[in-house]
Amino acid sequence: MKSIAVAVILAVAMVAFMAETGRAIDCSQVKAFLVPCVSYLANGGNPTPECCKGVSNIQKNTPTVAQRQDACQCIKDAASLLPKIDETAASNLPAACKVQINIPISKDTDCKS
């Protein structure tokens, strides 16, 4: 009986975990995912593993065009708050992290296109 209870708990946990992936994220989450990238965005170089994990989390949680457009606007708004952003580093961030994000990272991006 104890092994059945453990199996049920594991199954519920797996379903809950799978439901989290791909759910819509809000701007505060997008910004939190990118906080570890601030140094890279300002100075270039190589992004940290934490930064790349954040980029990957954005990609995983924006499966639809509308979600990517919303995340794009969040990224654009956050980028505009950084006084010194290396535009080349910003545009190269997904590639540097080896993540196909389909969201341009720039202050000047038109997020509706």
Side-chain angles (χ1 to χ4, degrees):
M1 188 68 170
K2 193 174 188 179
S3 62
I4 293 173
V6 170
V8 169
I9 290 170
L10 286 174
V12 169
M14 286 174 43
V15 169
F17 176 76
M18 289 178 353
E20 290 293 308
T21 301
R23 70 180 175 93
I25 57 176
D26 61 33
C27 278
S28 64
Q29 292 169 307
V30 170
K31 291 175 186 176
F33 287 144
L34 292 178
V35 164
C37 301
V38 170
S39 178
Y40 169 79
L41 293 171
N43 304 311
N46 294 310
T48 64
E50 294 82 13
C51 170
C52 290
K53 182 177 179 183
V55 173
S56 179
N57 282 332
I58 292 171
Q59 186 271 335
K60 289 175 186 172
N61 288 286
T62 55
T64 69
V65 170
Q67 289 170 330
R68 285 190 296 274
Q69 287 174 331
D70 290 345
C72 174
Q73 189 61 51
C74 294
I75 292 168
K76 184 177 176 180
D77 293 345
S80 70
L81 298 174
L82 293 174
K84 179 187 165 205
I85 187 169
D86 181 334
E87 287 290 333
T88 302
S91 65
N92 289 335
L93 178 58
C97 288
K98 297 178 178 66
V99 175
Q100 174 114 13
I101 194 169
N102 295 322
I103 301 172
I105 300 177
S106 171
K107 293 179 185 179
D108 302 319
T109 298
D110 177 5
C111 293
K112 296 301 178 191
S113 61

